[in-house]
């Protein structure tokens, strides 16, 4: 295979059959292979215990595709782990010569931000990002049925091949300048034996489980010590939510607010003019929110809104985003 272009694909999604990102990279792979490119795909969810060793595979590549799916917020943990490993264990001299094409498809919101995150991360690593693909696709059939979408994907794959094959230069980026002047990291050259040891350490589920048990034991001890204080703050939260409630005609939804590491969530059930707040558990609420008590304190004080907390990353959400946005209409806290 001497002289042949090698392109690696690193897929950071969950491998779902209706993942639009999978459709895009499969179509790009077909085009690249028709151009006699040798393509190797690494599914990070299948290699999650070996992610720290995957940067070693960059040495065999002329260009790469970083592909991920935004399912609710951000590009996903597997891709972040891979980029972290590139920073800690990757060969920076090799990365500096690598072209990277970002592919980020979204089934919710945030595909443009995800694409920008991948491009910025690759620049900070010292590499060269290419023009990528991003889009909002609620149903993968949309990609399959519209020929114009297929044409866009094929053109992007051809452009990637042309850029890698001709080594097209690009202007330097400020991200790279910052990396060269202030952002330093040790360049760790791992031998095969060291890579294997690192992989075993990362995959040591027994060690990780023991650490989790120790943390849970400590957390339980401190929860018992602070139970009286926590109980009073919980009652205050319920009272403030009742006071701030503004009924919305015809609207019904359920919310579960998980605060800090409390086992019980703050359950809020809204049904037209009625609202019920209590601590407990609920199977499949419309929206599940995870945040810290400090963030809820800021919201109750009227200094931030639920949506601004979510957009800033201090609050995480699962469920219907439109129902999540209704929280600011249902509960109006004044400063």
């Amino acid at each position: 295979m001497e002289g042949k272009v090698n392109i690696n694909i690193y897929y950071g999604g969950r491998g779902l059959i209706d993942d639009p990102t999978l459709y895009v990279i499969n179509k790009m792979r077909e085009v690249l292979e028709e151009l006699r490119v040798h393509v190797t795909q690494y599914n990070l969810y299948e290699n999650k215990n070996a992610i720290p060793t995957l940067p070693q595979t960059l040495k065999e590549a002329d260009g790469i595709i970083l592909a991920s799916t935004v399912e609710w917020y951000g590009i996903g943990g597997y891709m972040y782990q891979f980029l972290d490993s590139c920073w800690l264990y990757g060969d920076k001299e090799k990365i500096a010569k690598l072209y990277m094409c970002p592919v980020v498809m979204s089934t919710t919101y945030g595909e443009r931000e995800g694409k920008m995150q991948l491009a910025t991360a690759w620049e900070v690593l010292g590499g060269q990002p290419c023009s990528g693909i991003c889009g909002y696709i609620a149903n993968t059939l949309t990609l399959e049925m519209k020929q114009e979408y297929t044409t866009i994907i094929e053109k992007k794959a051809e452009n990637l091949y042309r850029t890698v094959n001709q080594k097209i230069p690009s202007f330097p980026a400020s991200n790279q300048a910052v990396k060269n002047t202030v952002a330093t990291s040790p360049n760790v050259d791992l031998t095969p034996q060291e890579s294997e040891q690192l992989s075993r350490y990362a995959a040591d589920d027994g060690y990780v489980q023991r650490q989790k048990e120790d943390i849970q034991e400590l957390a339980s001890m401190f929860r018992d010590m602070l139970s009286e204080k926590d109980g009073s703050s919980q009652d205050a939260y319920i009272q403030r939510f009742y006071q701030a409630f503004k009924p919305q005609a015809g609207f019904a939804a359920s919310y579960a607010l998980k605060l800090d590491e409390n086992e019980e969530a703050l359950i809020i059930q809204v049904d037209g003019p009625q609202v019920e707040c209590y601590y407990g558990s609920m199977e499949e609420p419309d929206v599940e929110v995870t945040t810290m008590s400090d963030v809820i304190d800021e919201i109750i004080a009227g200094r931030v809104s639920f949506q601004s907390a979510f957009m800033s990353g201090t609050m995480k959400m699962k469920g219907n985003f439109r129902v999540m946005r209704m929280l600011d209409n249902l509960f109006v806290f004044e400063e």
Side-chain angles (χ1 to χ4, degrees):
M1 295 199 309
E2 186 175 354
K4 180 176 287 190
V5 174
N6 296 307
I7 291 181
N8 291 353
I9 300 175
Y10 298 90
Y11 167 66
R14 295 189 294 145
L16 302 179
I17 193 170
D18 58 346
D19 187 342
T21 302
L22 274 178
Y23 177 86
V24 172
I25 59 177
N26 286 338
K27 184 61 66 175
M28 293 182 73
R29 180 171 188 157
E30 292 176 7
V31 175
L32 291 170
E33 289 178 343
E34 288 177 2
L35 295 170
R36 303 180 66 81
V37 174
H38 179 253
V39 181
T40 304
Q41 181 168 329
Y42 296 92
N43 296 325
L44 301 185
Y45 71 94
E46 293 178 344
N47 297 276
K48 57 185 178 181
N49 291 332
I51 287 178
T53 66
L54 283 182
Q56 303 304 309
T57 62
L58 296 173
K59 295 180 179 180
E60 306 166 359
D62 300 300
I64 67 170
I65 295 173
L66 296 183
S68 191
T69 307
V70 178
E71 294 186 272
W72 76 280
Y73 188 76
I75 57 176
Y78 294 139
M79 185 58 70
Y80 279 122
Q81 289 181 49
F82 176 70
L83 291 170
D84 284 345
S85 297
C86 288
W87 176 255
L88 294 172
Y89 311 115
D91 184 339
K92 302 302 190 300
E93 292 184 4
K94 175 60 179 177
I95 291 176
K97 301 175 184 178
L98 278 180
Y99 294 90
M100 186 278 294
C101 175
V103 175
V104 179
M105 308 304 290
S106 170
T107 58
T108 174
Y109 169 82
E111 69 282 352
R112 294 184 184 276
E113 290 79 0
K115 177 185 171 186
M116 181 64 69
Q117 282 180 312
L118 291 180
T120 301
W122 197 247
E123 286 179 338
V124 172
L125 284 167
Q128 304 180 59
C130 305
S131 175
I133 301 176
C134 68
Y136 165 73
I137 302 293
N139 190 332
T140 308
L141 288 176
T142 306
L143 284 172
E144 300 175 0
M145 299 299 293
K146 292 197 175 185
Q147 180 59 39
E148 55 264 38
Y149 291 164
T150 301
T151 302
I152 292 173
I153 298 170
E154 292 174 347
K155 291 295 182 184
K156 289 292 184 180
E158 293 170 1
N159 289 339
L160 173 61
Y161 169 75
R162 190 177 300 111
T163 300
V164 173
N165 192 44
Q166 299 177 8
K167 301 188 183 302
I168 296 176
S170 59
F171 283 109
S174 59
N175 293 325
Q176 293 171 331
V178 171
K179 178 253 181 186
N180 292 333
T181 55
V182 300
T184 59
S185 69
N187 190 11
V188 182
D189 294 323
L190 299 175
T191 66
Q193 292 78 13
E194 291 170 335
S195 297
E196 183 179 359
Q197 290 173 357
L198 180 61
S199 177
R200 288 178 179 176
Y201 180 77
D204 189 350
D205 293 333
Y207 174 80
V208 173
Q209 184 61 33
R210 286 194 299 273
Q211 297 300 308
K212 288 182 177 180
E213 291 174 356
D214 291 343
I215 292 172
Q216 289 174 354
E217 184 177 349
L218 287 171
S220 177
M221 180 180 69
F222 282 108
R223 277 200 302 268
D224 292 340
M225 294 171 60
L226 299 173
S227 60
E228 183 176 350
K229 179 180 177 181
D230 290 344
S232 61
S233 64
Q234 289 180 357
D235 293 340
Y237 286 156
I238 292 176
Q239 183 179 0
R240 290 302 303 276
F241 271 93
Y242 275 124
Q243 292 172 347
F245 179 59
K246 303 294 181 184
Q248 302 293 314
F251 180 80
S254 58
Y255 302 87
L257 277 63
K258 294 187 175 181
L259 308 181
D260 302 322
E261 296 182 355
N262 296 338
E263 295 182 359
E264 291 189 330
L266 174 56
I267 306 299
I268 301 174
Q269 292 180 283
V270 178
D271 188 1
Q274 304 295 325
V275 62
E276 184 178 0
C277 302
Y278 60 92
Y279 283 90
S281 60
M282 172 178 286
E283 293 186 3
E284 298 184 357
D286 295 314
V287 172
E288 182 179 293
V289 172
T290 304
T291 188
M292 304 295 290
S293 297
D294 292 344
V295 177
I296 295 297
D297 291 339
E298 290 290 299
I299 293 174
I300 288 176
R303 289 188 283 268
V304 298
S305 64
F306 282 98
Q307 186 168 352
S308 62
F310 171 71
M311 297 304 292
S312 68
T314 57
M315 176 178 290
K316 297 181 180 180
M317 182 274 289
K318 293 182 181 179
N320 191 312
F321 184 67
R322 293 180 180 177
V323 176
M324 161 69 179
R325 294 177 59 184
M326 284 296 296
L327 277 171
D328 288 318
N329 295 328
L330 291 167
F331 300 98
V332 180
F333 299 99
E334 299 179 355
E335 188 172 359

